[in-house]
Amino acid sequence: DIDGVGHKYYLELELEDVLDKGRTVSCTAEVLYHLGSKSTAPDVQATVQGELRSTEEADKEFYNRVRSLPKELVAENIPDSHGNVPPELEPIHLLAWAASGYVTWQNSTESTKFHLAQVKHVKQVKRSDEDLQFDYVLLLHEMVSQEVLPWEVTVLWHPQRGARVSRERRQPGHA
Amino acid sequence: ANMKLILIFSALIGASLCLETFVGHQVLRIKTKNEEEVKQLQLLESLEHLELDFWINPSAPALPVDVRIPAASVQSVKAFLESQGIEYSIMIEDLQDVLDKEQQDMAESAQRQRSSSFDFGAYHTLDDINNELDHLASEYSFVEKIQIGESYEKRPLYVLKFSTGGSKRPAIWLDAGIHSREWVTQASALWIANKIASDYGTDASITSLLDNMDLFLLPVANPDGFVYTHTTNRMWRKTRSKIPGSICVGVDPNRNWDAGFGGPGASNKPCSESYHGPSANSEVEVKSVVDFIKNHGNFKAFLTLHSYSQLLMYPYGYKCTRPDDYAELESLGRAAASSIRSLYGTTFQVGTICKTIYQASGGSIDWSYDNGIKYSFAFELRDTGRYGFLLPANQIIPAAKETWLGLKKIMEHVQ
C-alpha cells in the first residue's frame, strides 16, 4: 500500500514457452495500480532474466508467406468451437495472444482477470510500408464478471520490429 | 472463333485418360458471366471421354459450376477456359490428398470407438448425447435414464441413475454443463458415465461404490443453453429464459440457488452474465434439481463440473467464512487434487469458493451444503486459459480421466 498513490505488487514469475515446453525463464516485475483510477493502465516494469528462444526463421517464413498471398488474409473463429486451429493460422492465433496481453494490461484493475477466449475475426490490411497489419475482433473473457467482451484491436507486426497494437477499443453495441 | 474451338476440343479429346485413383485430380469452381459461357460449359460437359465430373452442373450464369477434372485433362481444360476468358478458381488442388486425410480421420475415429459407436473424444450435439444416454441405459441393467423435469424451452432434463439394488440407498449427485459454454464438462460426464458402467464388476472401487450407494448423473444441466452454443453463440453461459421487462435473455443458473441469494457476487442486471434471476429457483433447470434432491432425501455428496481454471472448491461462495467441516473438506479436496495430478501432472488449486475464485452468491454447492449434504464440491476443469472454453477435443479424454480420479477419491471417502 502506498498512501495516496495506490497498490504496488512485486512479482517473481517463471515464464514457460508454450511452443517449447520444459524451457522456462525467470522474470521479475513491479505492478502499480493507481488509486481510484479505473481509466489509467497500471504501471508495469518487467525484467526477463535469461534469453528467450530465437524465432528468426519462423518469423521470416511467416512474413514472406503473408506478403506473397494473392489476397488479403481473412479468417474467423480461431480456435473453432471444437478448439481446432488450422496450422497455417497458428501464427495469427499467437499474434492475437500477444495483442490481447497488451489490451489486458491497458484495461486491468485489481478486480479483473482477462483471458483471450477466441479470435472472432481477423482481416489483413495491406500497407505501403514494411509492416503487416491485422485488424482483429478478439473475444476477451473476464473471469470476475464472466463477461465475454468483443474487442477491436489493430496489430502491426514486422520480423525485426515485433508486434505493436496501434489501436484498441471495446466494440460498441451490446451482444 | 469456331476453328479455335475445334482445335482446342481436339486437344482435350486427346488428353483424356482412364484413372483409378484421384491423384492429381483438381476441383475447379467456375464463375460464368453470361449465357454464352454457360453454353460453353455445357458443351464441355457433353464431351464424355474427358470424364469430367460436374459437382454442380452449368445451368444459369448466376450459379457457380463445380467440376472434378482427372489429372491428365487439367491443363487442357484450364487452357480452354482461359482462351474463352471464363473465370475459375481451384477449390481442391489434389483430390487424393483430401481423400487420404479423410480416410485417416475416419480410421482414427474408428479406433477410438469401442463397443459403443460413440466417440468420447469428440464434442457432440444434444441429440447425440441423449442417444448415448439411451444406449448406456439399454446396455447396462443397473443404469436407468430418468427425467427429472423440463428446461425453459421444454427440453427434457435427463439423469442417469446408477443403482445395483436396495431401496433409496445413500446417493451421490454429479452434474455437468450448468454453464453451457463449458463444453469439456458435458463431454467428460459422458466419458465418466461410460467408465462407471463398463467397469462395474471389474474395478474394485467402482464395484464397491455401486454395491453400497446409488449415483445420479446429470450430464447436461442446461440443455437450452447447450443447444444455443451449437446453433448461435458458442460463448453462451446462462439459461435461455425470457426476462420480463428486459430485452436480454437468460439467468446465470449458478447464481439462482437459494443460498445467500441476491448477495454479493451476483448481478441484478438481466443483461449480465452473472444475473441471479428474479428470485431463487426461478429457473426451472435449478428448481427441478432442488425438488429431486429434496424428494429423494438421502444424498450424501453433491458434485458439480465447470470449466475452466483447474480448481477444486468447497463451500462457501456467498460468504467468505469457513464451513463447519472445513478441515475435513480441505483435506479431502487436497487428496482428490493429488489423485488428479498423479495421472498427467495437471494441478488443481483447492479451497473455498470465496478464497479460490471469487465471492459468488446463489451457488449450487452452497445450497447443497446448507441443506445437509456435507460432501459438496465444485470442480473447474482444464485448462487455465490457453484455450479456455474452446478446449481442443483431444483433451477431453485426458481431462475426463484425471477428473474421474478426483471424483473417485471423494466418493470412496463418502462411502
Side-chain angles (χ1 to χ4, degrees):
Chain A
D1 265 6
I2 305 176
D3 277 350
V5 178
H7 300 144
K8 196 167 200 187
Y9 295 82
Y10 296 86
L11 306 170
E12 284 173 22
L13 309 171
E14 204 181 325
L15 306 180
E16 183 188 54
D17 188 343
V18 153
L19 301 179
D20 189 11
K21 298 219 163 170
R23 188 196 190 106
T24 63
V25 117
S26 298
C27 172
T28 54
E30 284 178 18
V31 180
L32 170 64
Y33 288 99
H34 296 277
L35 206 63
S37 175
K38 289 276 164 82
S39 54
T40 323
D43 291 343
V44 174
Q45 309 264 48
T47 321
V48 175
Q49 277 92 34
E51 271 180 26
L52 299 174
R53 176 175 66 93
S54 165
T55 55
E56 211 178 296
E57 269 305 309
D59 287 348
K60 213 165 33 176
E61 195 207 45
F62 172 65
Y63 184 72
N64 290 332
R65 174 160 66 87
V66 175
R67 290 273 277 196
S68 57
L69 289 173
K71 276 197 319 196
E72 283 89 341
L73 186 151
V74 173
E76 45 182 31
N77 296 335
I78 307 168
D80 66 16
S81 285
H82 298 225
N84 296 320
V85 178
E88 67 274 10
L89 289 179
E90 187 60 29
I92 298 289
H93 186 214
L94 294 170
L95 188 58
W97 263 100
S100 70
Y102 175 84
V103 174
T104 297
W105 168 32
Q106 293 300 300
N107 294 277
S108 283
T109 68
E110 282 161 287
S111 323
T112 58
K113 185 169 174 180
F114 287 98
H115 286 286
L116 175 64
Q118 190 182 41
V119 175
K120 192 71 196 150
H121 189 84
V122 60
K123 182 186 76 200
Q124 181 197 356
V125 175
K126 283 223 158 112
R127 294 175 65 89
S128 51
D129 63 20
E130 305 234 306
D131 284 335
L132 296 183
Q133 177 180 337
F134 298 98
D135 288 355
Y136 284 94
V137 175
L138 302 180
L139 293 183
L140 298 181
H141 174 223
E142 201 289 294
M143 195 67 76
V144 179
S145 64
Q146 286 295 327
E147 300 293 332
V148 172
L149 309 164
W151 218 281
E152 295 172 358
V153 186
T154 298
V155 185
L156 302 176
W157 183 80
H158 181 275
Q160 275 87 58
R161 286 197 284 278
R164 285 140 286 144
V165 170
S166 64
R167 219 174 53 211
E168 56 98 355
R169 69 165 184 174
R170 188 170 157 184
Q171 196 173 63
H174 179 85
Chain B
N2 268 336
M3 255 320 273
K4 205 171 170 198
L5 266 174
I6 291 166
L7 275 171
I8 289 168
F9 275 126
S10 324
L12 288 171
I13 287 164
S16 72
L17 261 180
C18 201
L19 293 165
E20 283 180 88
T21 70
F22 297 96
V23 176
H25 287 222
Q26 289 199 350
V27 178
L28 302 186
R29 166 154 290 188
I30 304 169
K31 295 257 168 74
T32 48
K33 295 189 279 295
N34 51 49
E35 281 292 349
E36 175 66 37
E37 290 188 359
V38 175
K39 287 203 168 59
Q40 305 275 43
L41 293 178
Q42 285 168 340
L43 218 103
L44 203 61
E45 196 179 3
S46 68
L47 302 176
E48 286 179 10
H49 55 273
L50 286 178
E51 297 188 30
L52 300 179
D53 175 14
F54 283 82
W55 290 3
I56 303 178
N57 299 81
S59 55
L63 299 169
V65 172
D66 291 349
V67 57
R68 174 179 63 81
I69 309 170
S73 310
V74 167
Q75 290 316 313
S76 11
V77 169
K78 283 179 175 173
F80 171 74
L81 294 174
E82 284 160 22
S83 74
Q84 301 301 303
I86 299 176
E87 272 179 38
Y88 69 89
S89 60
I90 301 172
M91 264 180 25
I92 299 176
E93 281 259 13
D94 188 321
L95 186 55
Q96 193 58 44
D97 284 350
V98 172
L99 294 176
D100 288 346
K101 175 82 177 50
E102 187 179 50
Q103 286 289 70
Q104 200 189 338
D105 283 349
M106 283 167 55
E108 282 166 20
S109 181
Q111 250 187 355
R112 282 199 296 261
Q113 291 157 27
R114 287 147 291 172
S115 58
S116 154
S117 58
F118 188 84
D119 183 0
F120 294 98
Y123 291 113
H124 291 278
T125 60
L126 183 64
D127 286 343
D128 285 348
I129 289 175
N130 285 338
N131 286 336
E132 179 57 17
L133 297 182
D134 284 332
H135 177 256
L136 287 171
S138 71
E139 204 177 318
Y140 300 97
S141 59
F142 55 93
V143 179
E144 195 193 334
K145 187 185 86 168
I146 58 181
Q147 180 172 347
I148 65 165
E150 264 181 356
S151 68
Y152 182 83
E153 290 174 344
K154 305 272 178 273
R155 293 183 175 87
L157 297 169
Y158 288 131
V159 165
L160 279 186
K161 174 182 179 181
F162 296 77
S163 179
T164 60
S167 166
K168 212 161 250 181
R169 283 180 175 164
I172 295 169
W173 174 266
L174 176 60
D175 68 65
I178 196 172
H179 288 139
S180 38
R181 63 191 178 195
E182 298 166 8
W183 277 18
V184 70
T185 66
Q186 299 96 333
S188 293
L190 260 300
W191 183 91
I192 289 168
N194 180 252
K195 173 74 174 164
I196 295 173
S198 57
D199 280 13
Y200 174 74
T202 51
D203 178 286
S205 174
I206 291 176
T207 307
S208 162
L209 178 77
L210 288 187
D211 281 347
N212 296 305
M213 300 184 78
D214 289 345
L215 174 70
F216 292 86
L217 169 55
L218 173 60
V220 186
N222 178 5
D224 296 348
F226 187 59
V227 169
Y228 200 71
T229 60
H230 276 272
T231 58
T232 314
N233 181 353
R234 176 61 178 82
M235 296 294 170
W236 190 260
R237 164 186 169 88
K238 303 189 285 182
T239 60
R240 290 294 301 162
S241 57
K242 305 266 176 295
I243 301 160
S246 176
I247 50 161
C248 288
V249 174
V251 166
D252 184 339
N254 207 28
R255 301 287 185 278
N256 189 245
W257 300 69
D258 194 4
F261 178 83
S267 172
N268 60 2
K269 297 187 179 34
C271 298
S272 166
E273 291 282 29
S274 55
Y275 174 51
H276 50 55
S279 59
N281 300 321
S282 63
E283 301 314 283
V284 63
E285 294 84 354
V286 170
K287 180 109 180 32
S288 302
V289 176
V290 169
D291 288 347
F292 182 77
I293 288 181
K294 277 184 157 165
N295 288 337
H296 183 282
N298 204 13
F299 275 93
K300 299 298 173 205
F302 184 97
L303 310 168
T304 182
L305 302 183
H306 290 259
S307 77
Y308 56 94
S309 284
Q310 291 170 208
L311 309 170
L312 213 178
M313 300 174 290
Y314 50 89
Y316 286 108
Y318 71 81
K319 56 186 178 183
C320 294
T321 50
R322 290 174 172 179
D324 286 344
D325 300 290
Y326 169 76
E328 188 184 357
L329 295 178
E330 172 71 19
S331 163
L332 181 53
R334 282 182 191 276
S338 197
S339 301
I340 292 173
R341 197 171 57 243
S342 72
L343 196 55
Y344 300 111
T346 308
T347 54
F348 274 58
Q349 281 184 291
V350 180
T352 65
I353 294 174
C354 181
K355 277 279 142 69
T356 311
I357 196 169
Y358 38 51
Q359 191 173 10
S361 58
S364 65
I365 69 167
D366 285 357
W367 170 83
S368 61
Y369 185 77
D370 280 351
N371 275 269
I373 302 174
K374 177 158 60 155
Y375 300 102
S376 294
F377 287 92
F379 288 67
E380 290 274 1
L381 307 190
R382 293 190 188 188
D383 58 14
T384 53
R386 176 153 186 226
Y387 288 95
F389 300 122
L390 307 181
L391 194 71
N394 62 17
Q395 287 196 48
I396 294 173
I397 293 179
K401 282 183 165 168
E402 69 195 6
T403 302
W404 169 239
L405 292 182
L407 291 169
K408 206 155 70 131
K409 185 60 97 179
I410 293 172
M411 293 184 192
E412 284 162 3
H413 184 90
V414 174
Q415 263 182 92

